[in-house]
Amino acid sequence: MPKEQQEVVILGGPHTSNSATTTTINMPAEISTPDHVVWSLFNTLFMNFCCLGFIAYSYSVKSRDRKMVGDVTGAKTYASTAKCLNISSVIFTILMAILTIILYATKRT
């Protein structure tokens, strides 16, 4: 209650019958943009081909920061970049593993 109204109530002065205006603010409950932090952390630790996992992790953290601030567009942009880097890291690491197995198998015979 504002101070002026408190004084009026305490002093017993006349009450005005003005209708109070209200403002409603609709805020989204949660921004559902995936930031791929766990996937990036996994790629950083286990599939870090040419540091792509680490770079993906940094973009994931940037995406999470943007999401916490409320910048949905920035969060989606960073998350998309992190996703592409994670996919690239997984593909290159699997290809290198397959290539290493093939080279090792052909040298043994």
Side-chain angles (χ1 to χ4, degrees):
M1 209 159 145
K3 187 177 180 181
E4 296 84 23
Q5 288 180 356
Q6 286 178 355
E7 291 174 0
V8 170
V9 171
I10 293 172
L11 296 176
H15 296 282
T16 58
S17 63
N18 292 343
S19 62
T21 58
T22 59
T23 303
T24 305
I25 299 173
N26 294 326
M27 296 182 68
E30 174 119 3
I31 301 169
S32 62
T33 303
D35 49 18
H36 308 293
V37 172
V38 176
W39 187 15
S40 299
L41 185 62
F42 177 81
N43 284 342
T44 299
L45 296 176
F46 300 111
M47 299 186 166
N48 199 15
F49 179 78
C50 292
C51 295
L52 287 177
F54 180 72
I55 297 169
Y57 182 73
S58 67
Y59 275 98
S60 298
V61 171
K62 286 181 183 181
S63 173
R64 181 169 282 185
D65 290 343
R66 292 284 96 203
K67 187 165 68 170
M68 296 304 270
V69 171
D71 181 14
V72 180
T73 307
K76 285 182 181 180
T77 303
Y78 285 127
S80 174
T81 305
K83 182 179 178 180
C84 291
L85 290 169
N86 281 323
I87 291 170
S88 301
S89 178
V90 168
I91 289 173
F92 285 135
T93 302
I94 290 173
L95 287 176
M96 289 302 293
I98 291 171
L99 185 66
T100 303
I101 291 170
I102 290 172
L103 289 176
Y104 184 73
T106 56
K107 279 196 165 194
R108 293 290 251 160
T109 57

